[in-house]
Structures are given as structure tokens and as C-alpha cells.
């Protein structure tokens, strides 16, 4: 597709369960970001992938959160043993880096996670 | 620690009013400042500012950056109900293009 695609768009889960959120970035974009947005709040940085470099995981709130990016394209954000405070919209974004690229981020529609 | 602060937190105006949204920042390795509009889900890009004093303009929206005082403003003239949204300010770092976002300003434009 032409834009960043995220799935599922909505996920309701029970406390303690694991969830996986998927992001398919724009083709050719080398940088991929995960952000979290709680109700009425700004965007909180979680993790950043750039090409083959080691990801910047400095924003992950706990070791229950992990993410991987396979083949430099699709990324999966995994939350283990979900807690109610994990409820938020998880936004994925990608950007094109390289000569002439301005670094603008293109966002997906987000995955709304509700932990009961 | 990098910080981006937006004000006001929320704003209610009537159609036709002019609004000014503020964004101040304290970041290391500043590269640029970006404004996004978020209506329902995905934030959409408005402006990228890299140089002080140069106004960016798109229709009724305009923005300017002051790198000495470390702030930016977003102006919206002749507001319309379709301008109702959360406006997000973000600062881009030199390292890896990562963005640090402010908390956003929620704008509501009443008919």
C-alpha cells in the first residue's frame, strides 16, 4: 500500500495476556518508529529502527515490551503480560533517510489496545 | 533530558477567530521542528521548520521558529470547525531523525 499499515486497528485483551501489534512501513523507508499515545496525551517514544543498525530501545517502558523488525521492513511490537496501564493507541511511523530526505515521519492509523 | 512543551493544553474558539499555538523546547542536537495535526488517528504533517525567522505558510496556517529563544508558534486565521484537532509539535534530532513530541494542544472550533 501507499501508506503505513498497522494491525490490528483495535485489540481488547485481558490483563496478563500477551499481544502483538504489527506495522508495515512505506516501501523503501529505512527508518521505523513506535510511539504510544495515552488518552488525551502526546506521543511517547518507544523504539526506533534504522536500517541494519541496532535499534534505539530507550523509550520502552519495561522489559515486558519488545519489538523486532524483520528483513528491514515489517515490525512487530510485543507486549507480554499486559497491564491495564498499557492501554493506549500504539502508533507506528516510517521515514525515508538519505540524501535529500527531510526526515518527515509518516504515521499509520494506530492500534488501539484496551487491557481489561 | 529533552523536553518539548506546548501551550495552551486546550483551546475553544468560534469560527472566524484567529488562534496562536505555542511550542517551546529544550533539546540537544536540534535539527528541525515539526507541526502535526491529529484529528482522529494518524497525525498528518503540517510544517517543518529549520531556520529562524522564516515563516512557513499553507493557506490559513502559518508557523515560525525562533532558535534563539527556542520556541515556535503555529497560527491559524479565520478558523473553521474542520480545524478542530490536536496539534502536535515535535523536535527532530540530528541523530537518526527521532522525534520528541510535546503533549499537544487540543483545539475546538465551535460554529
Amino acid at each position: 500500500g501507499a501508506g503505513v499499515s498497522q494491525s490490528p486497528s483495535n485489540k481488547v485483551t485481558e490483563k496478563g495476556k500477551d499481544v502483538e501489534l504489527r506495522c508495515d512501513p512505506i516501501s523503501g523507508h529505512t527508518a521505523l518508529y513506535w510511539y504510544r499515545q495515552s488518552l488525551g496525551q502526546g506521543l511517547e517514544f518507544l523504539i526506533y529502527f534504522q536500517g541494519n543498525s541496532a535499534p534505539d530501545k530507550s523509550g520502552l517502558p519495561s522489559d515486558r515490551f519488545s519489538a523486532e523488525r524483520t528483513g528491514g521492513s515489517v515490525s512487530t511490537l510485543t507486549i507480554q503480560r499486559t497491564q491495564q496501564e498499557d492501554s493506549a493507541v500504539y502508533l507506528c511511523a516510517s521515514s525515508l533517510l538519505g540524501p535529500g530526505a527531510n526526515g518527515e515521519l509518516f504515521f499509520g492509523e494506530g492500534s488501539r489496545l484496551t487491557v481489561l | 533530558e529533552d523536553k518539548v512543551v506546548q501551550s495552551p493544553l486546550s483551546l475553544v474558539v468560534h469560527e472566524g477567530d484567529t488562534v496562536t499555538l505555542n511550542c517551546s523546547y529544550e533539546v540537544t542536537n536540534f535539527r528541525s521542528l515539526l507541526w502535526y495535526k491529529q484529528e482522529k488517528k494518524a497525525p498528518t504533517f503540517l510544517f517543518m521548520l529549520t531556520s529562524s525567522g522564516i515563516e512557513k505558510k499553507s493557506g490559513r496556517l502559518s508557523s515560525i521558529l525562533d532558535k534563539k529563544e527556542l520556541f515556535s508558534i503555529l497560527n491559524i486565521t479565520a478558523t473553521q470547525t474542520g480545524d478542530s484537532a490536536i496539534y502536535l509539535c515535535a523536535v527532530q534530532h540530528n541523530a537518526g531523525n527521532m522525534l520528541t513530541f510535546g503533549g499537544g494542544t487540543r483545539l475546538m472550533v465551535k460554529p
Side-chain angles (χ1 to χ4, degrees):
Chain A
V4 177
S5 177
Q6 291 188 245
S7 62
S9 55
N10 279 288
K11 175 73 176 177
V12 180
T13 191
E14 293 179 347
K15 178 181 172 181
K17 301 280 190 182
D18 297 351
V19 296
E20 281 190 356
L21 308 176
R22 176 190 166 104
C23 173
D24 199 344
I26 293 172
S27 178
H29 280 194
T30 56
L32 186 147
Y33 312 75
W34 283 98
Y35 284 85
R36 176 170 74 172
Q37 187 173 33
S38 300
L39 188 63
Q41 302 297 311
L43 274 65
E44 174 190 3
F45 167 73
L46 296 177
I47 188 168
Y48 158 64
F49 296 90
Q50 166 48 30
N52 295 321
S53 303
D56 178 350
K57 304 179 182 180
S58 59
L60 294 178
S62 78
D63 58 8
R64 296 186 296 104
F65 288 72
S66 62
E68 60 179 25
R69 188 179 185 192
T70 54
S73 181
V74 172
S75 176
T76 303
L77 177 69
T78 301
I79 309 172
Q80 296 178 307
R81 305 180 303 280
T82 51
Q83 304 293 313
Q84 288 181 333
E85 61 262 28
D86 299 334
S87 297
V89 175
Y90 289 81
L91 287 162
C92 176
S94 69
S95 71
L96 178 65
L97 294 179
N102 64 14
E104 177 191 342
L105 268 62
F106 295 84
F107 284 87
E109 295 279 287
S111 292
R112 180 178 296 279
L113 173 65
T114 303
V115 182
L116 301 177
Chain B
E1 184 181 329
D2 295 341
K3 191 163 52 174
V4 180
V5 178
Q6 292 186 245
S7 63
L9 289 179
S10 64
L11 193 55
V12 180
V13 300
H14 289 93
E15 275 193 316
D17 289 350
T18 293
V19 297
T20 298
L21 309 182
N22 303 291
C23 176
S24 64
Y25 62 92
E26 293 177 26
V27 299
T28 53
N29 298 316
F30 174 89
R31 176 173 173 172
S32 60
L33 185 145
L34 292 84
W35 285 95
Y36 285 83
K37 177 182 181 182
Q38 186 177 26
E39 293 179 79
K40 289 185 179 177
K41 292 185 177 179
T44 54
F45 174 77
L46 294 175
F47 297 111
M48 172 182 277
L49 304 158
T50 55
S51 302
S52 280
I54 299 174
E55 184 182 53
K56 291 283 185 83
K57 198 168 172 64
S58 176
R60 295 176 295 101
L61 277 66
S62 64
S63 184
I64 198 161
L65 174 68
D66 185 328
K67 291 170 73 173
K68 182 179 178 184
E69 300 297 329
L70 307 182
F71 77 91
S72 173
I73 59 172
L74 175 68
N75 277 319
I76 309 175
T77 59
T79 51
Q80 302 171 357
T81 55
D83 295 329
S84 297
I86 297 173
Y87 289 84
L88 295 165
C89 170
V91 173
Q92 188 176 40
H93 303 247
N94 270 322
N97 286 353
M98 193 180 80
L99 294 182
T100 299
F101 281 85
T105 292
R106 182 180 294 274
L107 174 66
M108 180 181 295
V109 182
K110 292 187 172 181

